[in-house]
Every structure is written in structure tokens, then in C-alpha cells.
Amino acid sequence: MVAVAQGSPRPRTARRALARRGRPVAVGGWSRLLVLTLIAVLFVVPLLWLLLAPSKTETQLTDLPPLAFGSFENFAAAWNNLMSFNDAQVLVWLANSVGYAVGGVVLAVVAAIPAGYALAVYRFRGRRLVLVLTLVGMILPTAATVVPIYQELALVGLTNTVWAVILPSAFFPFGVYLAYLHFQTALPAELIEAARMDGAGDLRIFLSLGVPLARPAIALVAFFAFVANWNNYFLPYVMLVDDGLYPLQLGISALLDSAPVINSSNQSNLPIHKPEAALAALLSIVPIAIFFASFQRTIGAGMLSGAVKG
Amino acid sequence: MSPSTPRKLGAHIAGAVLAGALVITALTGCSSPSSPDASGASKELLVWVDATRQPAAEAYAKSNPDEKITIVTVDGSKLESKLSLAARDARNAPDVVFTPNGQAIEFATKFGFSADLTDKVSASVKEGFGATLSACTQDGKLYCLPQDVSTQMLWYNQKLFAQFGYEVPTTWSDYAALAARVATEHPGYVAGSCGDGFCPNVYYRGSDCVGYDLDGKDVSITLATDKNCTRVTEMLTPLVAGKSVATLSPFDPDMATLGAESKVLMLPGFVWYGSVLFKDTFKNQNGEIAAAPLPTWPDGKKGTGAAVGGQWVVNAKTARADAAVKLIEWMTTDDATLAQAATFPAYEPAAASWVKAVVASGFYASDPTDTFLSARSDVSGDLYAPAFNILDPFTNAVAPKLKEGASLDSLVSAWQPAVQQAATDAGYTATIAK
Amino acid sequence: MTTLRPAVLSPRTARPVRPLRPRGPRRRKGSGLAWGLLSPYLVLLLAFAIVPTLSALWASLGGGSDLGLATMARAFGNISFLPALVNVASFIVVFLPALLVIATAVALLLHARAGRAVTVFKLVYYLPGVVVGAPLVLLWLFMLAPQLSPFQGLLNAFGFETASQVFTSANMPFIFAVMAIYSSVGGWIVVLCSSLDAIDTEVLEAARIDGAGAWQTAWHIKLPLVSRYIAFIGILSFAGATQLVAEPTLVGTALPGTVSSTWSLNQLTFAYAFAQNDAAAASVYAVFLVAVGVAAALFLIYGLRSYAETEEK
């Protein structure tokens, strides 16, 4: 194994030389790019197909080459067909998705960030138990918990309401764990001891040290919570019956269930076929793509800074 | 700050959170839209239908505004899970449910959901349904009203038959002989389908093969011993091996490709194959497809696979039973509604108008009226499993292996245990007959 | 678990540098605030994890009547149980190693050089994760049907000419693995990239100066440092994989007769929970899944910890 970090400080000159050369490690540039591009192509081609699918008619999807472009008229027709379903209910679903995602994120962040702080900074009885329960919570099968949760919410009369989706989404153990890792390293013991010795109480420490340092963790937890909520299918499926309350993913599945898209034995007069299904899928991707692109900067380098050393 | 303050503060925060949670639940619980009304008189009538029945249901709701009917679309494949949840949550339970998969009796047995309609439906209405009512009846109780009946017939491509010089088979031995000829003379053409539960539904039930003997709570599975069943297995095995009977479901995308290429020569199947399969999926042209009566076995047995598909069920716990029964009676007997239905009405008086509408479309090569109507007499008495059947076990246990090339007769030994499990799940004590 | 900066890499540097950690004061003070800060999360944990799991456990024990032996007999005696277990196991065996290897390899490749292209690559790898449910299956039905797919050449090379040849029982674990990797690898690449970005550059410079090449740096330095994250991803992906349900159900609907409706263990669980209205038997499977998940978690945590520790020496 290569002898690493012998502990002695690097000679300044060597460091400056390295800095001039940029990143210290270079992998065979072209072969690296080739591999990455190849994989990217594999990933992009299906999405490209999805993008082009609404431009073709149902028969053109099988007749024309897979990545051929149909026509803009077909795109417009597919859009109209999709909108014709229950007076553009697809847009209602889209708005619902945003609502559920945002609502779930707000509650998840409010719960996870302080919890992560508490777990990282304090030693108290039951701390390890909470950490273990959090880990178990991350791998708990939904099949085990969904019916009891449904019964709980039925008891307080919340089933088939927006709260039935938002409240369980607020439970986000993954976010707690991320926050915990973040505070563990962003807030080392010396800093806290120093603040204590200056006479600051715990609340003061939390407000003046913890909260400002929480910003990267908030961004990270918010990002993952948003995406998890956006893609969440099973929870709304169980909790909601009114199709006006459906989020987009659930609505699309319900739509495809009733149309002869996936199941061709469905007898239906709905003008929903494969091009419309592809268009609906695109509708669910675009907001996330925008969201991801804008969050890329925030969750980029250094976000999990120091956490890896934990 | 004194050392005790953070602790108190923490306790305050915790308390506030809990209180807040309780307040939120109380508030939202109180303001929920459809809270149950004890009197039941002004409560809405919640109706779950599938997408196909939705237009007719909405029309009824609109023309009866004082009934306060709310229609919710729930897909048939999701009905079980939704109902099992609603069983724990009276607030959101529906008053009326339409099941497109004939599950009324299953719902009665497994969820205690279906109401007993024996005394709520008039005798004349019952008579109009005739033998189709048997699919709704168990232990003498009527649990639903049937929407439609799928009678069986032999669909064939008249143009191809003329082109190849074939004659339409009238017996199963003729059918088998023809399918064997197709395998050698025109390989790649489809003479039948055996790739999912439709295979036993058509071929086995068409031979009066129920697959089991029912005696109270005991079930004996007879797929390997009942002559009615073994003769079908014997007939189909070589045909599947020869590939003229495709190991594809009629609704498999690959079957759709073959259909679009006009390679589907003939398919024993249900009355609704005409419009759903040949017209909409295979996109056959007008004047190509015709329907002949289902072939018969030497003992004259005809297709008893005629199945009741859609059923209307009333919630046993509903507060508005009369309104519910009125709705389902209207949906299943009203002539004008049924004439436009996608499927063949179970109600005899409405059947003729339905056929007339279908024939007027001009799709069929020759007038199928006689075939359609005569097949109704095939619907027999007590064929249907209360809560299990031989079809899903075939789809799950046999079809995947059939696609990999295993022979049909070797797979009966996989089929029977699967039927046994299904019967056990339905609460029976099931054994395999030796 | 907590350490201090700088990174503890080799025992020689760490021990002399680490100051004594004061223990007493921290434990005494402030527990009140800690509980206060934890309380919203604890309420949620109780309501949506602890109570439901205990309820499921109780149900699987037959509601206390017979210690659940009859329920367990019913659940484990179902003829579909063993095939479902085998199916899920074969899926995991294909899916998990491939996922971890691909995610790690791509993250390491991306990290090797900075640049705007890296952001674009990350977006491309991540985007497929948003396609879920029915549209995802629709997408793959087309991608895996040789006559309709842009990958026709690739499929033909494997000897597949028609969709029926692709969607056979033997191929199902691979098909679901492809779908799952396509959807999930992007997110994990993002996580791993972030953790790689956080590695102290001094360490990497030191390696470079010592003459370590790209491979050696990746293998001996970067990999051990993110091994904890890889274990974490492994645990979560394993747990998710045991719960495979949506894809087999949708493939079974789209291609009737290709996949049993209880192909995966979780499908069997849902069949019992909903179609059978037998929550007790469903709970037995669910508890079984939790146990398997926890076992895998322990295995991965301790397994990778010992790997990281040996590498540090």
C-alpha cells in the first residue's frame, strides 16, 4: 500500500507547483471521457425515445424507427388528448404533486434538522437507540407499515385527505441521518466547548452555531425529500380514493390502468394511447429536471463536507 | 441562562409539538368533506366504477340529482386493495361497487362486503337475467346483478380461410386437425392462443371442465382425472408444441403484432373479442373477421365457459340500500344504456338491441347475430367458483413455463398445486384427486 | 463514531494530534433541549414506524392467540413462498453488486477530473430516476422489444429477435435489475460524488507526490474513505430490492402470462394484505423482510468497517 500522509507538512514549493497544475490526479483523459460518454448515451437514449414518442401516432411508434421524429401536429394532438381527460385533470395532479412534495419537505426538514443536531451534539440516554431506530426506519418495508398507518389515519378521520400523504412523508429517517452526519463534522467538540466556556447556554449555541451551519444540510435533506415525495406512489395509492387528490405519478398510473396502454384488454373510449402515456411521463420528469439542475450547485462539492470522515 | 432552562425549554418544545399535532388532527378531522351522517337520509351515494362504465354512471347521476350520487373511478385491478382498506374505514367505503372481474362472491366471502339482494330485486328482473344470475348466487343468496355475459364462439378470418381453402371447424377434432395442418402448411399463422388464463377459460371450460369437485368446504382438484379436462390437455399439447396454438395471451403485444400482420387465422374466444381484440388491437379491416359457433365435443357439450364478467355489488353496510339497488337495476336493465354498452348485456331483453347496434357497425364479414344470441343458451347453472378458479393459477404457474417450451401435459402437475393453494386461500380444504 | 479533523488516516499521525475529549459536562447539561429538538421527529417515528411495526409484529403473532404458529404455517406454507424467495434472491444477486460497482466506478471516474462536463454527466445519470411506475415499464417494454427498440442491434447480438424471447422467466431477474439500476444508480452517483468531493485535497496531493497513479489513488485512498457511504447505499438498495413489487406487477399486466402475480415476495405480501384480506400472514412476510434487511445492514456495516480498517494499516 502506498505510504500516505506521513504526517509531515508538504514543502511549500511542491504544493504551489501542484496547485498550478490543477487537480493532482489525472486519469487517462480520453478513455475516461469515452467510458463516461458511452454510459451517458445508454442512459439518454431511452429518455430521448420518451421525448420523441408523443410526436408519433400509436402506429408510427411501431412502424417508424425508434428515434425518428414524427410531427409537431402529433405532439399537439397527444397534448389535447391528455388534457381532454376529466378537464385537464393531469394539471391538477401536477399541482397536487408539487403541493405534497413541498408540504412533505417543509415538515421533514423541520423535524430532521433539529433531530440531527441533537443526535450529533448531545450525549444522552437513548441516543443510540434513536440512531438504530432511524436506520431500521430507513429499511422498513412499506408493506409492513402501510396498513397500520392507514388504520391510524382512519381513526382520526384523515384518510382520503392531503394530510394522509403529507404527514407520513414528514417521517424521513434518511434526512435525519444526513443531518446527523453533517452536524457531527461541521460542529466539532472544540467549537462547542469554546462557546460553552464563553458562557453560552445550549439554546444560544443552537441558535448561533447550529442554525447557520445547518444551511447545507437543509439543502441536502430538502433535495432528497422532494424527490422521494415526488416519486412516492404507494403511500398516496393507499391513502387516497378521490382522483382529484392524486399526485401526478398516481394519476398517470390510474390513467394508464383504464386505457388500453399497458393492458390491451382494457375496453375504453379514452383517447389515451402510448403517445399520451409518454407525454404524461415527460410531464412528470420536467419539473424534477429543473429542480435537479437548480439544486446541482447547492448539493455540489463540499455539501457532505467532512461527513465522510465520520 | 441557568442550566435548568434548556431542559424546561426542551420540555416546552416537546409539549408544544405534541399539542400542535393533536390540534392539527382534530381540526382537519372535523373539516373532512364526507363525514358520516347518522340519519343516512341526506348522505351521498358513493359509487365506484371502472373507466368503461363511468360515462353511463355519470349520465345516471346527472339525471337523478336528488339522489346525490358521487362517481369515483377505480380500476378493476385495484378494487381488492381499495376495498380491503375501505373495510377498515367506514367513512370512505363505497355504497355501490362495479367489479369487472366477477368478484362479487369473493368480496362477500373475503371482506363480508356484498349485500344480500335476494329480497330486494323483483322476480321479473331476476327472470330477465336467467341463468346469468348463477354467477351472483351462492348458498341461495343473491350477491350482485350481472352487467354482461361473455359467451364463447370461434372467431376466424374469413378472408384467409377463403384464401387458404379451409373450412370452418364445427367439432374440436376438426379444429385440432385444422390447427395441425396450419402448423405445416402455413407456419407462423395463429390458430389459437394458450398463454395465460384465457386458455383454460376458453378451451377447458369449453369442454365442461370445471377442474374441481366441490362438496361443502371440501375441494377435490380433478384436472388430471376428469375426462373433460384430460381430453383438452391431450388435444392442446401437440398443437402448442407445433406452435400453431401460440403460447401468447390474446393481449400480448407480440400477438398484436401478428394480428396487425393478419396472421391470426382463428381464435376461439369471447363475444367481445370482435371489437376489443380484432378491431381495436389487431386493427383488422371491415369484412375480414367472422364468428362461428364454438366447436363441440363428440358428446355434444358446448362452451359452458360463458362467463359473467361485470357485476354490480351493493355494500352490506350501506345506509342507502334502496337507492343503491335502484341504481344497479337501472345500469343492468335499462335498454338504452345497455345498447351502447361495450359488452354483451346479461339481461335478456336488452341483448337483441345490443347485437343490432354491433352488427350495424359493419365490421363483421358475415352477420354474427345468430352466433351471438344462440351462444347465450350455453350459460349454465352453477359453474363458477365462489372465490377461486383454475384460471389465475394457470396464468401464474403454467403460462411462464409454457413460454419456455415445456409441454402442456407436463405442466398439469404444476397447475394442480397452484389451484390447491387458491382454494386454500379461499377458505376451502383442498386436495388433489389421484 | 465521531472523530475530529483532520482525517484520521494512519495511526501514526492521529494519536498524537487528538486532544482529550471532555466527557462530563456534555452528558450532564442540555438533555432537555436535546429532547425538545428531537420531539417532532420522535412523534413521527412513533406514529409512522414504531407503532405500525409493532402492530404488524402483533398481527404476525396471530394477535396473541397462538403465538402466530398457524399464521406462520399459512404464510411459509404457501406454494409461492419459496419461488418468490428464490426470484427475489436471484434479482438481488444480479442487481446489488452491479449497482454498487457501477455507481462507485462512475463516481470515481467523474471525480478524477473537475469540470462542467461532470455536472452534465451527473444530470444525465440522474434523470432516469424520475421515471417511475407505469411510464417506466412502458419505456422498458419498448426498449427491450427487439423489433421496436433503439437497442435492437445490442439485443440481436444476445440472440433476441422477439419480445417473447426477452421476457422469459429466466431473464426476469436481469430485466428487473436493468430497470432498477437505470432508475437508481444516478442518485447514488450523486451521493458518492459529493462524498468524494469532500475528501481533503491534501491527502490526494500527498498521494500524488508519493507517486501514486490514478488507479492506486482511487483504489487505496478514495475507496476506503467512501466505503462507509458505499455500505450505506448497499444497505438501502438491498432493503429496497427485497421490496420489489411495482415492476413485476406491471410487467405481468402488460405481458400476460410471462410473470406470476406473486413473482416477488413483496407481491405475495400484498396479495395477502389486500386480495386475501389476511394482514396477519402479510405481516409475517413483512417481519421476515425487516429481519433480512437488518441482517444485511449489520453484515455490510461490519464487513466494510473491517475492510476500511485493514486498508488504513
Side-chain angles (χ1 to χ4, degrees), chain B residues 267-282:
Chain B
L267 262 187
F270 292 101
V271 62
W272 46 270
Y273 275 21
S275 64
V276 175
L277 196 58
F278 289 99
K279 190 153 130 219
D280 294 339
T281 314
F282 296 172

Side-chain angles (χ1 to χ4, degrees), chain A residues 40-272:
Chain A
V41 165
L42 279 177
F43 272 58
V44 148
V45 163
L47 294 180
L48 201 58
W49 179 90
L50 201 61
L51 188 63
L52 293 168
S55 73
K56 298 178 245 196
T57 63
E58 176 99 3
T59 35
Q60 282 180 329
L61 274 177
T62 44
D63 292 342
L64 290 179
L67 295 178
F69 179 77
S71 71
F72 283 112
E73 286 87 34
N74 290 332
F75 234 115
W79 177 263
N80 287 333
N81 284 339
L82 201 56
M83 290 300 127
S84 73
F85 180 73
N86 278 358
D87 303 318
Q89 200 176 33
V90 180
L91 297 178
V92 172
W93 292 336
L94 187 61
N96 288 344
S97 270
V98 174
Y100 291 137
V102 169
V105 163
V106 166
L107 289 183
V109 165
V110 163
I113 300 295
Y117 177 87
L119 288 168
V121 167
Y122 296 110
R123 299 278 171 282
F124 52 89
R125 269 212 189 168
R127 175 177 165 273
R128 188 156 286 174
L129 178 65
V130 174
L131 279 172
V132 166
L133 286 177
T134 301
L135 187 67
V136 174
M138 280 190 259
I139 61 176
L140 218 47
T142 2
T145 55
V146 77
V147 173
I149 293 179
Y150 182 86
Q151 284 173 297
E152 283 175 3
L153 292 171
L155 266 173
V156 290
L158 282 179
T159 49
N160 206 24
T161 66
V162 299
W163 295 107
V165 177
I166 293 182
L167 287 177
S169 309
F171 173 62
F172 193 45
F174 185 63
V176 171
Y177 197 70
L178 284 177
Y180 162 70
L181 288 179
H182 172 81
F183 280 116
Q184 260 204 329
T185 43
L187 214 50
E190 311 101 59
L191 227 65
I192 301 190
E193 275 315 300
R196 283 237 178 82
M197 285 197 254
D198 284 346
D202 282 318
L203 187 61
R204 183 101 177 283
I205 295 176
F206 174 64
L207 291 174
S208 57
L209 278 181
V211 170
L213 280 170
R215 221 165 283 149
I218 294 178
L220 202 59
V221 172
F223 174 76
F224 281 106
F226 187 92
V227 176
N229 290 346
W230 188 267
N231 288 344
N232 197 347
Y233 171 86
F234 194 60
L235 181 70
Y237 168 78
V238 166
M239 297 298 165
L240 304 172
V241 182
D242 281 343
D243 47 9
L245 291 175
Y246 284 178
L248 192 57
Q249 304 288 18
L250 189 60
I252 292 177
S253 287
L255 187 58
L256 298 188
D257 277 338
S258 11
V261 177
I262 299 281
N263 184 355
S264 17
S265 67
N266 275 338
Q267 314 158 36
S268 160
N269 294 326
L270 293 172
I272 306 291

